[in-house]
Amino acid sequence: MKTKITELFGIKHPIICGGMLWLCKPDLCAAISNAGGLGNITAGNYDTGEELREAIQQTREMTDKPIGVNITLLPSFRITEETYDDYFRVCCEEKVTAIEVSGKPATKYIDQVHKAGVKIMHKVGAVRHAKNIERIGYDAVLAAGIEEGGHPLDDNVSTMVLTPRIVESVNIPVITTGGIADGRGLAAALALGAEGVMMATRFIATKECNVHPNIKQELINRQEQDTTLICKSLNLQGRALKNKLTEEVLAIEEEGKDLERIFPLISGQKVKEAWQTGDVDNAAFMVGQSVGLIKEELSCQELMDGMVRDAEEIFKRNLQRF
Ligand SMILES: Cc1cc2nc3c(=O)[nH]c(=O)nc-3n(C[C@H](O)[C@H](O)[C@H](O)COP(=O)(O)O)c2cc1C
C-alpha cells in the first residue's frame, strides 16, 4: 500500500503509533517500526534530552527502520521550556524520521527540524488549527477526532467529519487518528481522503506493549461506550476508561473546579504505576473509544499485516459492487 505518508516517512504500512506517555518506549517502538509502521518514543517519558537520546539509541539497537518521537507541548510542572528545547535538539541530532507534536504549535523549532532533515507533523482537532499548521510549515497534519484517547479538542468533532473537512482545507498530507483499530478503520480513513492512520489505544493490547496483563484483558473486555471525558472543568478534557477513579473525578467536577482534589487523582505517577501493577480501578487510563474494537492481544506484526490485508480486501470487495 503506497500513500503520500508511506513515501514521506519511508515506511511499508501507512500506520503510525501515536504518543502514549509511559507506554511508547523502545521495545514497542522498535516492534512497530520492524513490522512496517512508524513506531513512537514519547519524549515526556524522559526527564532530560539525554535520557531521550538513550531511548532513541536503545531503539536503534533493535531496529534500523524509521522511528518517530512524540513531543507534547502542553503546560507541565515536570517539563520545562529548556527541556522541550533539548527534546527537539536531540531529535535533530539523532535524526529521527519524524516528530509528532501535540498541544502548542512548534513554530520556534520548525527551521531547526527541517535543517536536520527530520519531518514534523501536528495533531489537531479543528480545520482552523490544521490551516495554521500548514502555514507554519509542517510536513503533515493529524486529524484527531473526539473519539481519540488522550486529550481531544473540545470542539468535539468526530473523526468521520473532521478528516474530510481537513483534507479539503489543506494541501499537506492528512493522517486520521481517533477510533482506528483495524483494517475497516484504515480503509475508511483512506476513503475519506487521509494518507494513513495513527493509532494508540489498539497498540496497548499488543504482545510488545509492556503493561500488566490485567490491563490488556480489561481493554479486550471493555466496549466502545466504556470511556468518558474527564477534566472539562480544567479546560483540558481527557478521554479515559470509565472506572472507580474517573467516577470520583467526575463527582468532584460536578461540585465545581477543584484543582487541589483533582490533581492527585490524575497524577502521572499514579497511572505510571497502575500500568505496571494492573490495578484497573485506580488510575486515569486515557484510552479512546476504539477500545470497543479490541478483541484479542496480537503482535504488532500480526496487527498491522492484518489491517492492511483487510483494508485491501474491503476495497476489492466494494469495487465489485459497481
Ligand atoms: C494511554 C494513552 C496515552 C496517550 N498519551 C499521549 C501523549 O502523551 N501525547 C499525545 O500527544 N497524545 C497522547 N495520546 C493520544 C494518542 O497519541 C492518539 O492521538 C490517540 O490515542 C488516537 O486515538 P486512539 O486511541 O483511538 O487510537 C495518548 C493516548 C493513549 C491511549
Side-chain angles (χ1 to χ4, degrees):
M1 203 178 264
K2 262 200 185 138
T3 73
K4 287 183 188 159
I5 285 301
T6 59
E7 302 281 290
L8 186 67
F9 298 146
I11 51 179
K12 183 173 171 217
H13 297 323
I15 303 172
I16 298 171
C17 179
M20 290 191 279
L21 191 61
W22 311 131
L23 304 185
C24 284
K25 295 197 174 161
D27 286 342
L28 181 60
C29 178
I32 294 169
S33 291
N34 279 333
L38 187 73
N40 188 299
I41 297 172
T42 295
N45 292 330
Y46 308 99
D47 288 334
T48 65
E50 288 315 304
E51 284 179 37
L52 172 62
R53 192 195 304 279
E54 270 172 45
I56 294 169
Q57 290 177 349
Q58 212 182 320
T59 310
R60 290 227 165 102
E61 282 166 22
M62 294 182 271
T63 184
D64 57 358
K65 299 283 188 312
I67 58 171
V69 171
N70 167 282
I71 302 181
T72 303
L73 289 175
L74 287 176
S76 164
F77 292 125
R78 190 167 56 89
I79 305 168
T80 63
E81 191 67 26
E82 290 70 38
T83 306
Y84 283 124
D85 292 349
D86 289 344
Y87 287 162
F88 278 95
R89 182 177 47 76
V90 165
C91 286
C92 292
E93 287 169 358
E94 292 296 322
K95 299 202 182 301
V96 299
T97 303
I99 303 175
E100 175 217 357
V101 187
S102 60
K104 243 175 36 179
T107 316
K108 84 177 218 208
Y109 304 107
I110 286 281
D111 287 346
Q112 177 190 8
V113 167
H114 281 153
K115 269 194 201 121
V118 174
K119 306 290 180 214
I120 183 162
M121 53 187 157
H122 201 105
K123 198 150 60 189
V124 305
V127 169
R128 63 185 182 285
H129 294 161
K131 285 184 170 169
N132 191 36
I133 285 315
E134 180 176 47
R135 193 186 50 75
I136 291 168
Y138 275 82
D139 301 291
V141 64
L142 295 140
I146 183 68
E147 299 93 321
E148 72 159 342
H151 294 286
L153 184 71
D154 57 7
D155 276 21
N156 301 341
V157 179
S158 70
T159 297
M160 188 81 183
V161 172
L162 189 65
T163 301
R165 281 288 294 122
I166 292 184
V167 167
E168 69 192 19
S169 306
V170 299
N171 292 311
I172 51 176
V174 178
I175 301 152
T176 286
T177 188
I180 313 291
D182 56 27
R184 296 169 298 180
L186 172 59
L190 297 173
L192 292 172
E195 300 288 335
V197 296
M198 170 177 277
M199 310 192 296
T201 303
R202 183 61 187 91
F203 280 120
I204 304 173
T206 58
K207 295 195 173 123
E208 296 89 348
C209 184
N210 179 21
V211 301
H212 195 283
N214 279 1
I215 310 256
K216 294 185 186 177
Q217 192 54 48
E218 189 72 9
L219 298 189
I220 291 166
N221 296 347
R222 294 298 197 99
Q223 302 303 327
E224 59 281 5
Q225 71 275 21
D226 284 334
T227 69
T228 186
L229 291 167
I230 57 170
C231 297
K232 287 189 191 185
S233 67
L234 310 183
N235 286 328
L236 186 62
Q237 69 178 7
R239 184 174 293 287
L241 193 69
K242 283 183 188 167
N243 61 10
K244 198 163 134 280
L245 182 123
T246 56
E247 261 176 44
E248 212 178 317
V249 171
L250 289 172
I252 297 171
E253 291 196 277
E254 204 141 284
E255 293 165 22
K257 179 174 169 174
D258 192 338
L259 294 177
E260 271 178 33
R261 284 167 71 203
I262 296 173
F263 271 149
L265 295 176
I266 59 164
S267 86
Q269 199 53 36
K270 208 172 159 80
V271 69
K272 183 181 180 183
E273 283 166 19
W275 289 118
Q276 297 310 321
T277 61
D279 180 354
V280 291
D281 284 325
N282 292 302
F285 300 103
M286 308 304 286
V287 302
Q289 292 179 344
S290 54
V291 69
L293 296 166
I294 302 177
K295 310 281 197 302
E296 59 183 333
E297 186 182 353
L298 294 171
S299 70
C300 292
Q301 188 84 60
E302 288 165 336
L303 171 64
M304 291 193 288
D305 286 352
M307 283 179 68
V308 172
R309 201 177 47 239
D310 290 349
E312 283 170 352
E313 186 55 38
I314 288 167
F315 281 120
K316 277 189 206 138
R317 207 169 53 229
N318 279 290
L319 269 181
Q320 287 161 8
R321 290 187 171 168
F322 299 111

